[in-house]
Structures are given as structure tokens and as C-alpha cells.
Amino acid sequence: MLIDISRIQDIFAVFVLIILYLLVGYRPPWLWKHEKNQKTIDNIPGPLSLPFLGTRWIYWFGNYSFTKVHEVYADLFRRYGSIVKEETLFNIPVISILDHKDIEKVLKSSGKFPVRPPTEVIAYYRKTRPDRYASGGLVNEQGIVWHHLRTNLTSELTSPRTIASFLPQIDQIIEEWCSLIKQVRVNERQINDLKPLAERLGLEVTCALVLGRRMGFLLPDGISPNAQALANAVHQHFLACRDTFYGLPFWKIWTTPAYMHLVEGEETIYTLALELITSANEEARESAVFQSVLKASVDDREKTAAIVDFIAAGIYTLGNSIVFLLHLIGSNPECQKKLIDDLSVGSTTYLKACINEAFRMIPTAYCLARVSEQDLELSGYHIKAGTVLLCHTGLACKNDSNFTNACKFEPERWIGDAKTSTVSTATFLVTPFGIGKRICPGRRFVEQVLTSLLMNVVEQFNISKEDDLELQFEFILAPKGPVKVFFDDKN
Ligand code: HEM
């Protein structure tokens, strides 16, 4: 009898094992074959990856420079095709994509809380200062924490009504900037370097919106030491992000100069933001954006962090975009003439087309980063959820297969019959402010500033340029060297 029971147990155990094998171990031959043939992330071409160091060595020992990352990617795509694999430290893959359909697929696949990879060095620094930061902040947080910050801190910044009510102040600031141009011109026409002047405008108008204060960045006899410190801090902040991201990663072990610069930049912006919050005057109390941040239902530390993030994310990007826009207009006298004609009949159609076209030609945020939230098929490769993907929208915009005469400044492509086909391609490629739920909350404000700027500038000046613009990578695209532009008075 005992023997019989143990035999039954054996049979039962074999039966359970067969079931388990069928459930988890068995793959039908067709599926097996498919998996074997399927190209995975391991098959994506790219530079040689070294154990532990990955492919970052191309910047340290190769011919590539991280001041020219935009050119590095153009070269990588030329060598390896429209999908390229790099590996960061510890061999974590980062996939760069150029194909329009792939970019669209990635940007469309984001869920409720799109994941943009955080800037590691900022996330690290903020964790070392729990006295100041309750989280990584709006730019670097993910998931439910990001959603909580976004909903509570950006409603006024993104509100059309708030930005429209700020328009008179924008116009006044632009008017002051045009006066400044007149005062600092050499021989009543020549601006030897447009960059610092564009940065001062970016600073003044962004601080006026975010802090509700005029900071005096446009005073003709130079700016105050405090204001200069803020301008330097924001610039330093971007360079330090670039250097810690692409440079040797020693900042993780000891305090490198790049890490020191980042800390200095963050601390200067933070100290100033805190000072302005605690000393808010009548003017500041009337500022909708500033007030909405102060009254938000979030931890007090998040409020100062949000002001820091708005300043850091807004000023430098805006300054660079102003240089790119005015240089492109100065390089295209025909377009300038059409723009003036169109404005003279009360239309802003051509002006808006010029701004779209400038963003297509030189987007300061030259690519969009996401972490895939689901498995994706990109250019025939199976990409697992959780992979870091870089959508190279800036390079795709310069591709003739996406836009005819892609390297030419042609605002006409955004008008009339041509518009429909341009817009259908542009939806996922001309994305200077990003796309989806993580889109830049400063977009509406920036568009308003650029519209008012271009209108005022072409009404007062004929702009022209001497040299071509050279670009440099400073974590975003920035002009390299002095940008000489002529501002001749209109007769
Ligand atoms: C020309 C100027 C600007 C450009 C080109 C720009 C571009 C961008 C881009 C590309 C993103 C990422 C979007 C994405 O991943 O889909 C972003 C995010 C962000 N920007 Fe801007 N931006 C500009 C100005 C501003 C201004 C003026 C502010 C604030 C006053 C601002 C605040 C932010 C913030 C807080 C984020 C993070 C949003 C989030 O993750 O939810 N930006 N910006």
C-alpha cells in the first residue's frame, strides 16, 4: 500500500513538472525561430564598447570633442546608419535615432508620466542637500512626484491668459533692449557680439516673468554685480552639466572642477532665488507666476527649487534662440523684406513662419531624450522597455528626405499650400520645446517674446551679418565666438 502511494506521488510530480515545462519552458518552433532571428539592442551598430567604460572613450581618446557633440552624432549616423548604439559607464546602452518614423514612434509611445532621463549630476548634488531640496525638482523628477510638481507649479506659466496679460511688460522690455542696442552700437551700426546682449534680454524678461521683478540687466552703463553673478552662474551650470556628462566620471569619486562649477552655479542661483522670495515687494506680489509658485500646495523647498529650475531652464535657452533667430534674419535680406511687407499690412503670418523656420534650422535643444516605457520595434531592432533613447530631431530637420531644401532658410514652407505637408512632417521633428506631457512649460512665453522682439527689431533696424554662425555644444546648442551683427537704423 505504501509503495502504491509513493508511486502515485511520483506520477503526480512528473505530471506537475510537465505542466510547468509547458507553461514556462516550451516555445513553439515558430516563436523560437523568430526570437533567434530577431535583431536586438546587442545588434545595433555603434562605436566599439569597452568593458566598464562603454563608448565614452570616443570623447577622451578619439577625434571627437564634446564641444561639438551635434557634429559627433552627424558623423556617427553617417558611419553606422540611422540607429546607433553608444554605451555609458557600466555599459548601459543609449540608442540614438534619426529616422522620422522611429522618432514619431518613441515620442508617441510615452504614457501618463513620460520619463526623460535626469541630469545625473544635478540629481546627485540635490540629494546631498536635503536641507534645500525635497526632490530632484521638476526638470529631473519622474512619475507621480514629477506629476505632482508639474500640476502644482506650472499652471500660471502655461496659462494663455497669464502670458497675454504679461505682453505689455514684454513689449516694454523689448523696447528698452532696442534702445540699448542703439547705445552700444559701434559706428551707429555694429554690434561686435550679439550673444551677451541676447543673454541680458533673456535674463531680464525671464526674471520679470518668474520673479515679478525688473532686475536691471538692460541698464546702458552695465549690469549690477548681482545680476552679472546670476548670468555667469546660469552659463556655468550648463557647461558643468556638459562636462560631467561627457567627461571622465571622476566627479562621482572626488570633487572635480566641473562638479565644483555645477555646485557654484546651483548655489548662486539658489541664494538669489531665496533672497528674492523672502524680500518679495509689492511688484513681485502682483506677479501671477511668482505668486502661483509661492502659493502652490508643495513642500516649501520645492518652491525655491522651482524658481531655480525656471531660471536655469529658461534664460540661456532663450538667449541662444534670440541670437539664432536674428542671425538667420540678418542672413536672409529677401525674407526680411517680405517680413516687413507682411507686417505693414497688419499680418503676422510671415513673422510666425520665420520663427518656426529658425527653430527648424537651429533648435537650441537639438534632441529629445526619453526612457522607453514599453518594448518597441525601431528600424527592425527590438528595444526593451527601460532603454534610454535620444531622438535626434535637430539632425532630422536638416535631412532632405524630411524637408525639401532642408538646409535652406525658407519661411514660405510654413505658409499657404506648402504648409500642410510641412506641418505633417514637422509635428514630431520641429519640436524645439519638446512634445507631450513633458513639453516645456515656458513655450508660450518664449513664443510671445520672440514675436514681440522680431516685430520691434525689423521695424526699427535693417539687420545684416558679416560672418557665418558657428555652433558649439554647451549641453544645448550655443553660438561659438563673437556673433557680429549690424543694426542699421531705418530711414
Ligand atoms: C527658447 C527657450 C526655451 C527652449 C528652446 C526650451 C526647451 C525645452 C525643452 C526641449 C524641454 C524638454 C521637453 C521634453 O522633454 O519634451 C524643456 C523643458 C523645460 N523647460 Fe524649457 N525651453 C525654453 C525656455 C524655458 C523657459 C522660459 C522656462 C521657464 C520659465 C522653461 C522651463 C522648463 C521646465 C521647467 C522644463 C521641464 C518640464 C518637465 O519636465 O515637465 N523653459 N524646455
Side-chain angles (χ1 to χ4, degrees):
M1 193 61 189
L2 271 173
I3 292 166
D4 278 346
I5 286 171
S6 70
R7 281 194 68 191
I8 288 168
Q9 282 174 339
D10 286 349
I11 290 165
F12 184 68
V14 170
F15 183 71
V16 169
L17 279 174
I18 289 170
I19 297 283
L20 275 175
Y21 175 68
L22 284 174
L23 281 178
V24 296
Y26 178 70
R27 295 277 184 284
W30 53 268
L31 179 60
W32 192 235
K33 194 169 155 228
H34 176 69
E35 278 189 354
K36 266 193 164 171
N37 289 341
Q38 191 171 48
K39 293 192 288 179
T40 67
I41 208 163
D42 297 332
N43 308 109
I44 298 177
L48 174 74
S49 179
L50 303 173
F52 175 72
L53 289 180
T55 56
R56 281 281 189 267
W57 64 268
I58 61 173
Y59 294 102
W60 310 332
F61 314 117
N63 291 330
Y64 293 140
S65 155
F66 51 73
T67 59
K68 292 278 175 189
V69 165
H70 53 296
E71 289 177 10
V72 172
Y73 279 111
D75 194 52
L76 291 178
F77 285 127
R78 242 187 322 269
R79 280 169 185 236
Y80 300 107
S82 65
I83 181 160
V84 175
K85 183 175 71 166
E86 293 172 272
E87 286 184 5
T88 63
L89 275 192
F90 304 108
N91 300 96
I92 296 163
V94 174
I95 308 302
S96 281
I97 52 173
L98 183 64
D99 182 75
H100 180 192
K101 287 203 174 70
D102 285 345
I103 292 178
E104 182 168 345
K105 207 182 267 185
V106 171
L107 296 176
K108 264 185 176 168
S109 69
S110 293
K112 208 170 157 201
F113 309 135
V115 185
R116 191 180 51 238
T119 308
E120 204 186 349
V121 70
I122 296 181
Y124 174 85
Y125 164 71
R126 290 190 175 184
K127 275 199 187 123
T128 67
R129 296 301 307 256
D131 53 322
R132 289 185 168 180
Y133 297 99
S135 72
L138 180 57
V139 180
N140 288 297
E141 269 305 335
Q142 316 295 344
I144 199 92
V145 178
W146 163 77
H147 187 250
H148 174 68
L149 296 175
R150 177 96 192 191
T151 9
N152 283 289
L153 294 165
T154 64
S155 54
E156 286 297 331
L157 186 56
T158 53
S159 147
R161 201 172 38 87
T162 303
I163 299 304
S165 69
F166 190 60
L167 184 56
Q169 208 169 343
I170 293 178
D171 279 338
Q172 191 194 330
I173 292 171
I174 302 284
E175 192 50 54
E176 284 172 29
W177 189 75
C178 290
S179 306
L180 178 67
I181 290 284
K182 286 181 185 163
Q183 286 168 39
V184 299
R185 284 181 303 186
V186 178
N187 299 331
E188 299 205 341
R189 67 184 303 248
Q190 184 174 322
I191 292 292
N192 285 327
D193 190 3
L194 183 61
K195 260 185 335 185
L197 288 161
E199 225 168 85
R200 280 164 74 178
L201 173 56
L203 279 158
E204 187 68 17
V205 77
T206 308
C207 288
L209 175 84
V210 171
L211 304 169
R213 308 259 183 109
R214 293 297 310 270
M215 297 283 289
F217 286 106
L218 302 181
L219 297 175
D221 43 353
I223 58 179
S224 71
N226 244 3
Q228 187 62 56
L230 180 61
N232 293 345
V234 174
H235 196 178
Q236 200 172 349
H237 174 94
F238 272 94
L239 291 179
C241 287
R242 178 197 67 187
D243 295 346
T244 48
F245 190 79
Y246 289 98
L248 286 159
F250 295 135
W251 64 269
K252 294 185 183 184
I253 310 165
W254 65 80
T255 308
T256 60
Y259 186 74
M260 280 292 291
H261 289 150
L262 179 105
V263 174
E264 278 164 23
E266 280 260 319
E267 296 206 339
T268 307
I269 308 172
Y270 185 93
T271 310
L272 198 91
L274 196 63
E275 233 172 76
L276 290 161
I277 289 173
T278 43
S279 66
N281 58 10
E282 261 326 296
E283 191 190 353
R285 272 191 276 274
E286 277 169 25
S287 155
V289 174
F290 191 58
Q291 280 312 307
S292 71
V293 171
L294 295 194
K295 287 185 186 145
S297 316
V298 294
D299 185 301
D300 273 352
R301 289 170 293 175
E302 296 289 12
K303 298 175 185 174
T304 323
I307 302 279
V308 172
D309 280 347
F310 290 168
I311 291 175
I315 288 166
Y316 200 42
T317 43
L318 180 52
N320 291 344
S321 301
I322 291 169
V323 174
F324 298 152
L325 174 66
L326 294 185
H327 195 274
L328 282 164
I329 295 294
S331 311
N332 291 277
E334 269 309 301
C335 297
Q336 202 171 151
K337 197 174 162 310
K338 284 187 193 165
L339 172 54
I340 294 157
D341 289 347
D342 200 43
L343 284 173
S344 71
V345 295
S347 160
T348 53
T349 309
Y350 200 81
L351 182 137
K352 292 203 167 118
C354 286
I355 294 174
N356 282 338
E357 187 64 350
F359 275 131
R360 187 190 69 80
M361 291 283 290
I362 322 178
T364 188
Y366 80 108
C367 85
L368 294 179
R370 290 289 184 269
V371 175
S372 56
E373 292 162 62
Q374 49 185 274
D375 288 9
L376 293 169
E377 186 91 6
L378 301 177
S379 288
Y381 295 92
H382 182 77
I383 311 288
K384 287 216 164 101
T387 306
V388 177
L389 299 163
L390 301 181
C391 302
H392 286 266
T393 47
L395 286 172
C397 280
K398 292 292 193 65
N399 200 322
D400 281 338
S401 64
N402 294 321
F403 298 98
T404 35
N405 292 332
C407 291
K408 262 192 94 188
F409 184 77
E410 283 180 357
E412 291 73 15
R413 71 176 86 238
W414 297 91
I415 300 169
D417 293 344
K419 186 177 172 180
T420 318
S421 101
T422 301
V423 170
S424 75
T425 316
T427 307
F428 290 93
L429 296 188
V430 186
T431 50
F433 300 98
I435 197 162
K437 295 196 169 68
R438 284 206 90 138
I439 196 168
C440 173
R443 176 189 179 167
R444 207 178 291 276
F445 160 69
V446 171
E447 285 173 346
Q448 193 63 73
V449 171
L450 295 182
T451 302
S452 175
L453 173 75
L454 194 52
M455 211 182 263
N456 272 277
V457 165
V458 296
E459 269 165 10
Q460 298 190 40
F461 307 104
N462 280 318
I463 1 174
S464 53
K465 56 99 200 193
E466 194 166 72
D467 306 313
D468 287 342
L469 191 67
E470 204 189 322
L471 298 176
Q472 166 157 293
F473 181 75
E474 296 184 353
F475 216 53
I476 52 174
L477 283 187
K480 183 179 180 202
V483 181
K484 195 190 273 185
V485 177
F486 300 105
F487 286 77
D488 289 300
D489 284 330
K490 284 252 161 91
N491 295 327

